[in-house]
Amino acid sequence: MESNKKTRTLFILNQGAWMGLSLSAFFYLRHLLGLMQSSGAELVSWAIYAGFVYFTIKNYRDRFLEGTISYGQGLWAGTRVGLWAGIVLGAYLFTFFKFIDPGYLEEMVVNIQEAYLQSGMSEKLVEDMDEIMRTSMTPGMMIFSGILTVGFGSFFFALILSAFLKKEGDPFQQVMKNID
């Protein structure tokens, strides 16, 4: 039983790592191609989320739970894979903004400041917000942001996909298994 639990945990961690690496690679590709603001590219990101959550829940059910999975188990598996992927993506984003292209972060901050000023915010308020934005670019905050973003996205897809992937076993067999 303990070995099965470790294997299941390793499966979730493995799927989360691959999901995080896939999202990181896609982020870098979007950056190289200049598609950071593209809604089509954002749809591809959501497809990566949905694909990994679907694959994880389905394989978790079939490989570890003998073809049956409750809604809650599916939701938990899909959410856990997203939380782990968020850690991986957050670490990558910190590395990207700190070492790969630090100028991109500055450009992004300037664009946000201009948008705030054009919307009628005072310069003092924009300066205060600038300080907050810059302090949020620490490794811990980047990882926390990744966990929230990817974790919530995965939770959203797991809410939907778990309803379609759940399979209840035969209630009689479940009771009899507990008796043995």
Side-chain angles (χ1 to χ4, degrees):
M1 179 66 179
E2 184 64 31
S3 174
N4 188 25
K5 186 175 182 178
K6 285 181 182 178
T7 305
R8 291 185 306 192
T9 301
L10 286 174
F11 173 75
I12 294 292
L13 292 175
N14 186 33
Q15 292 305 306
W18 280 111
M19 181 179 176
L21 290 172
S22 297
L23 289 168
S24 299
F26 187 64
F27 178 89
Y28 188 68
L29 182 65
R30 285 172 63 182
H31 175 71
L32 287 177
L33 297 175
L35 299 173
M36 294 304 286
Q37 304 302 325
S38 169
S39 59
E42 196 61 35
L43 289 175
V44 173
S45 290
W46 286 105
I48 293 171
Y49 281 64
F52 270 96
V53 170
Y54 174 83
F55 180 80
T56 299
I57 295 171
K58 183 180 180 310
N59 283 315
Y60 190 75
R61 174 193 73 193
D62 295 342
R63 289 175 58 187
F64 302 108
L65 301 177
E66 300 172 2
T68 64
I69 192 167
S70 69
Y71 181 79
Q73 288 172 317
L75 181 62
W76 181 231
T79 302
R80 282 190 309 171
V81 77
L83 293 173
W84 183 246
I87 293 171
V88 173
L89 180 62
Y92 168 76
L93 290 176
F94 174 75
T95 304
F96 178 83
F97 289 132
K98 188 72 171 179
F99 303 109
I100 297 172
D101 191 359
Y104 181 75
L105 181 60
E106 187 62 37
E107 178 184 321
M108 193 169 70
V109 169
V110 168
N111 289 340
I112 291 171
Q113 288 174 335
E114 288 175 6
Y116 285 153
L117 289 172
Q118 288 177 355
S119 70
M121 283 187 171
S122 69
E123 287 187 34
K124 173 68 175 138
L125 186 57
V126 171
E127 286 177 20
D128 292 343
M129 292 181 79
D130 177 58
E131 189 175 316
I132 293 169
M133 281 190 287
R134 292 184 192 282
T135 58
S136 69
M137 295 300 160
T138 63
M141 287 303 291
M142 294 294 277
I143 291 172
F144 181 71
S145 175
I147 291 170
L148 279 180
T149 304
V150 181
F152 180 75
S154 297
F155 174 76
F156 173 76
F157 282 112
L159 277 172
I160 297 166
L161 293 170
S162 293
F164 293 105
L165 291 171
K166 76 174 185 158
K167 282 187 181 177
E168 299 295 332
D170 181 16
F172 180 74
Q173 294 297 331
Q174 296 293 80
V175 170
M176 293 308 291
K177 188 186 297 185
N178 292 336
I179 292 173
D180 291 336

